[in-house]
Amino acid sequence: MPPVSMLLNVLWIIFGGLWMAAGWLIAAIVMAITIIGLHWARAAFNIAAYTLLPFGQRAVRRDSLSGQSDLGTGLLGLIGNLIWLVLAGWWLALGHLITAVGLAVTIIGIPFAWAHLKLAGIALWPIGKVIVPA
């Protein structure tokens, strides 16, 4: 990881990244406990790691990366994302939005607010995404 990304990730953890990653972990654990939600738990664990260290990585659709559609990017992925949106996506996105507004008040916090806005979009629709180095 380049030094600039490392510095941004450390600042990110201090200014809101840690508590949002904890939110993703709580959502993943709750989904894993239900057994039915194991597929959502896997996606939530992956995005929790991304939420903890977002700089130097990016989220892309799995089918655009591999060039072929799969279960997570097809109709079942759509249904899974709709269920996720109702169960956990809206409150994770709300947490990212509230944190983004708080950070955007300061000039220094604007890049971190932008990252939270990107994560809010992922929070609404996480299934079918993969985290890759930027």
Side-chain angles (χ1 to χ4, degrees):
M1 181 179 299
V4 173
S5 292
M6 180 129 11
L7 175 65
L8 287 172
N9 281 325
V10 169
L11 291 172
W12 170 263
I13 289 170
I14 294 169
F15 296 114
L18 184 63
W19 81 277
M20 284 310 304
W24 277 97
L25 283 175
I26 290 168
I29 290 168
V30 168
M31 291 295 173
I33 288 172
T34 65
I35 304 296
I36 295 171
L38 283 176
H39 296 291
W40 293 286
R42 180 176 174 256
F45 275 123
N46 289 338
I47 297 173
Y50 176 53
T51 301
L52 191 59
L53 303 169
F55 295 98
Q57 303 182 75
R58 62 186 175 105
V60 296
R61 287 185 47 91
R62 223 175 20 237
D63 58 355
S64 67
L65 185 67
S66 67
Q68 30 182 304
S69 185
D70 60 22
L71 288 176
T73 58
L75 179 62
L76 288 177
L78 174 71
I79 294 169
N81 275 322
L82 288 172
I83 294 170
W84 170 265
L85 178 67
V86 171
L87 295 178
W90 68 270
W91 64 267
L92 284 167
L94 183 64
H96 282 294
L97 287 174
I98 290 169
T99 306
V101 168
L103 288 169
V105 171
T106 66
I107 293 172
I108 287 194
I110 290 174
F112 300 114
W114 184 250
H116 273 292
L117 291 177
K118 286 195 267 185
L119 284 163
I122 295 169
L124 294 173
W125 216 254
I127 297 179
K129 297 244 189 315
V130 65
I131 309 304
V132 297

